[in-house]
Amino acid sequence: MAVPKFKTSKQRKALRRSSVWRLDAPNLSACPKCGELRRQHVTCKACGFYNGRDVLKLEDGKKKK
């Protein structure tokens, strides 16, 4: 079984792990219908528009079930 030759310091271990927790912010684009910012490839929550058509039936800015 392999055994480390030297002890890994806390600082070296922390530097190696430092970039793992960071996530990129989601890419936002303007909705072509209402202009509100929305995530790409996701239905607009403000107007229910996606891929050139109305997907959700919205009433006064709220989802209708």
Side-chain angles (χ1 to χ4, degrees), residues 15-51:
L15 282 173
R16 185 176 66 238
R17 295 177 179 173
S18 66
S19 65
V20 175
W21 65 273
R22 260 183 284 170
L23 297 175
D24 294 334
N27 292 333
L28 299 177
S29 61
C31 175
K33 187 174 179 184
C34 68
E36 181 127 359
L37 288 178
R38 64 174 179 85
R39 290 177 49 199
Q40 294 178 346
H41 306 288
V42 175
T43 305
C44 180
K45 292 181 181 179
C47 64
F49 190 75
Y50 180 71
N51 201 18

Side-chain angles (χ1 to χ4, degrees), residues 2-15:
V3 178
K5 195 164 194 172
F6 299 104
K7 179 180 178 179
T8 304
S9 68
K10 294 174 188 174
Q11 182 179 5
R12 185 175 294 273
K13 183 170 54 174
L15 282 173

